[in-house]
Amino acid sequence: MLLLVRITLGKLVDRRGEAFFVYSCNAAMLAAFLLLAFVPNAVTYILSAVLAGYAFGGLEPSLQSMAVHTSTEETRGSANSTFLCDYDIGYGLGGGIAGSLITGLGYSAMWSIVSLACVLSVIVYVVWARHSDTSFSKRLANR
């Protein structure tokens, strides 16, 4: 699913902007996490994998595109580098936090708590993205 999304939707992000994918991908990831937390079985595991593949495949390039799009020509390299460094830091911290939550609370609680990151991500995007020309939030604010 991740490969399919990256192949098909990358150019769409460039044409339509990142906002749709930020919202839909965060919603898909939230659904995937909550399925794993509250309905753990083989079918929901597969459905979660499909949703997470869509979410990850669409969200990462959308956010990277936004980081590059909102920077000046002189700072595009720095914006890209900063995005990728923060991406790696997030992976490292997220894995450590998830592991600690599993040890202390179990898998169900870990998926429930980690799902809050999707909600926080949308809130941060809505607040910050009002400055982006491709943001759905900015279009709403200008009405």
Side-chain angles (χ1 to χ4, degrees):
M1 187 61 162
L2 185 142
L3 181 61
L4 180 66
V5 169
R6 292 258 172 109
I7 290 171
T8 59
L9 297 182
K11 292 185 191 314
L12 191 56
V13 169
D14 292 338
R15 285 195 311 255
R16 292 194 54 192
E18 81 285 341
F20 171 77
F21 298 102
V22 170
Y23 296 125
S24 68
C25 292
N26 269 298
M29 190 65 84
L30 176 66
F33 288 160
L34 293 176
L35 281 172
L36 290 171
F38 297 113
V39 194
N41 63 49
V43 173
T44 58
Y45 181 76
I46 302 286
L47 182 57
S48 292
V50 170
L51 289 168
Y54 166 75
F56 187 75
L59 190 58
E60 188 269 332
S62 296
L63 293 177
Q64 187 172 12
S65 174
M66 183 182 68
V68 171
H69 173 76
T70 58
S71 64
T72 64
E73 280 191 36
E74 295 81 28
T75 61
R76 284 198 177 138
S78 296
N80 201 32
S81 175
T82 301
F83 175 85
L84 292 172
C85 286
D86 289 344
Y87 181 79
D88 287 342
I89 290 168
Y91 252 95
L93 289 175
I97 291 168
S100 296
L101 289 170
I102 291 167
T103 302
L105 303 172
Y107 281 96
S108 182
M110 182 273 298
W111 290 121
S112 298
I113 293 168
V114 169
S115 71
L116 297 175
C118 298
V119 176
L120 180 63
S121 174
V122 169
I123 291 168
V124 168
Y125 178 79
V126 167
V127 169
W128 183 76
R130 293 184 195 280
H131 304 291
S132 172
D133 292 334
T134 58
S135 171
F136 179 68
S137 305
K138 183 174 182 176
R139 289 184 202 145
L140 287 177
N142 288 335
R143 283 187 179 179

